[in-house]
Amino acid sequence: MSKLCDQRSSAAVDSYKPRIDGVRGMPGKVSPDDLLAHVFERTGTDDETVLQGPANGEDAAAIAPFGGDETLVVSSDPISLAAAGVGSLAVPIACNDVAASGADPRWLTVVIMLPDEETDLEAITGDLDAAARDVGATIVGGHSEYVDQLERPLLSLTAMGTADSFVPTGGAEPGDSVIITKAAGLEGTAILATDFGDGLDVDEAVRERSEGFLEEISVAPDARAVREHATAMHDPTEGGVAAGLLEIARASGVRLAVDRERIPVREETRRLCEAAGVDPLRIFGSGALLATVPGDAVDDCLAALEAAGLEGSEIGTVGEGDPALVLDGEAITEPIADDLYPLWEGADADD
């Protein structure tokens, strides 16, 4: 919500902690049907060096421009829902899809659109610099300008890296096991705490801990720990872990059978979701990594995650059949909308 910045403006200026701001108008991703009809077949000249182009569930491209063993992985992501801390969030969000494709993020281009000259460009670029250093990436170019129609900064980043072996979203195979790192709904939990916390019956201490979840958004270490064995990896964002699992199933042409009770959900997430009446599996999920691995590699992957200081859990299996997420026996085949959008829309209606 736009009033969030007004309510917390002094705190945001002092700390510049990452915060998510709400949306107005039509929210959410373009539907898979519209992408199929209007986007995926309109890609210009055919190029045999493109190993992975636009497709449902695939968030990164894979290119082999010079031959050899390395694959160039490229992904672009905007960030428009943040006011304070936008630079700190933009880098890991852009780099996550590259990491989830088996590459180490190395290069970034940054487009910065600012609403006015009062926007703190120094703070934004300082955070971009620090966040890029954290993931080991270099900002190599971009563009900046003022756009007075904007209410908040709009950043769009392109992340690039090289991989020895590209890992697609659509690589899951029957017989694989499904792994999740960290926990479900980390980004969504932070959003609930910052955007809606004042109206929820949740302790201030819980809200403060939840806001800190935004510092765990990067999945680069997670992907590095499991990519040797992964047949598919995916960074769940809008629609949460449930949407991310369904996207793997649809992209791979398989059925993912998952038990809700096996999916880790932190106590802070449970309390905020219960207070807000939303499903922790259907709220923004950045910070977790979903991966499918051969059954005999599960123990090695979980051990590698533990050695990296990360949580990991086996939550289900991959089977044959029409593409679906089978959650506690219920088959889900239609795209999953994020539970936070109705909350934002209701807040906008009250303004």
Side-chain angles (χ1 to χ4, degrees):
M1 303 178 310
S2 59
K3 63 184 179 183
L4 176 65
C5 292
D6 298 330
Q7 293 169 347
R8 299 177 180 266
S9 58
S10 61
V13 169
D14 289 342
S15 65
Y16 214 68
K17 287 179 64 177
R19 296 184 186 279
I20 300 293
D21 224 4
V23 297
R24 296 182 182 275
M26 181 181 294
K29 296 179 180 179
V30 175
S31 73
D33 288 343
D34 284 343
L35 290 173
L36 185 62
H38 305 302
V39 176
F40 294 154
E41 299 301 321
R42 299 178 176 180
T43 57
T45 303
D46 290 338
D47 187 332
E48 63 182 11
T49 68
V50 177
L51 308 179
Q52 176 65 65
N56 271 327
E58 299 293 349
D59 293 328
I63 308 166
F66 309 117
D69 296 329
E70 285 192 325
T71 300
L72 178 66
V73 180
V74 183
S75 180
S76 295
D77 257 308
I79 178 166
S80 59
L81 304 187
V86 63
S88 297
L89 288 171
V91 170
I93 286 174
C95 289
N96 276 357
D97 290 330
V98 169
S101 298
D104 290 317
R106 290 187 60 185
W107 308 285
L108 291 161
T109 62
V110 183
V111 176
I112 304 175
M113 302 289 196
L114 302 173
D116 52 49
E117 294 184 7
E118 302 298 319
T119 307
D120 196 342
L121 180 60
E122 180 181 2
I124 292 173
T125 56
D127 279 358
L128 286 168
D129 175 65
R133 292 175 186 275
D134 282 346
V135 298
T138 301
I139 298 172
V140 297
H143 175 79
S144 58
E145 66 177 81
Y146 295 103
V147 181
D148 57 12
Q149 290 90 346
L150 294 175
E151 295 183 358
R152 62 179 68 87
L154 169 62
L155 272 60
S156 182
L157 277 66
T158 296
M160 295 164 277
T162 55
D164 293 332
S165 179
F166 174 72
V167 182
T169 302
E173 300 176 357
D176 286 347
S177 292
V178 184
I179 287 175
I180 186 174
T181 70
K182 300 189 187 100
L186 296 183
E187 182 184 6
T189 303
I191 294 171
L192 285 170
T194 56
D195 274 27
F196 305 104
D198 289 342
L200 299 177
D201 185 17
V202 177
D203 295 342
E204 181 64 27
V206 172
R207 291 167 51 187
E208 289 181 0
R209 292 197 301 271
S210 299
E211 290 179 21
F213 289 177
L214 288 179
E215 298 172 9
E216 301 181 62
I217 293 299
S218 176
V219 298
D222 315 46
R224 199 172 294 121
V226 303
R227 66 190 181 192
E228 177 184 354
H229 301 287
T231 55
M233 292 195 292
H234 197 46
D235 164 40
T237 53
E238 177 188 326
V241 165
L245 290 166
L246 178 58
E247 287 166 356
I248 292 176
R250 289 168 62 104
S252 304
V254 296
R255 295 173 80 83
L256 268 61
V258 173
D259 296 327
R260 177 183 287 268
E261 290 186 357
R262 298 173 70 179
I263 300 175
V265 178
R266 294 180 183 174
E267 180 61 24
E268 294 87 349
T269 301
R270 292 189 187 279
R271 293 178 63 178
L272 280 160
C273 286
E274 288 175 0
V278 298
D279 185 341
L281 304 190
R282 294 175 181 248
I283 61 173
F284 285 86
S286 292
L289 177 72
L290 299 170
T292 59
V293 303
D296 59 5
V298 171
D299 289 343
D300 287 343
C301 289
L302 296 181
L305 287 166
E306 184 177 4
L310 297 165
E311 308 156 79
S313 304
E314 182 182 7
I315 61 173
T317 57
V318 180
E320 297 179 348
D322 293 336
L325 165 62
V326 183
L327 185 62
D328 291 343
E330 177 187 355
I332 302 170
T333 59
E334 294 300 315
I336 295 170
D338 199 287
D339 277 1
L340 295 189
Y341 282 124
L343 299 184
W344 274 320
E345 290 165 358
D348 285 345
D350 293 338
D351 284 352

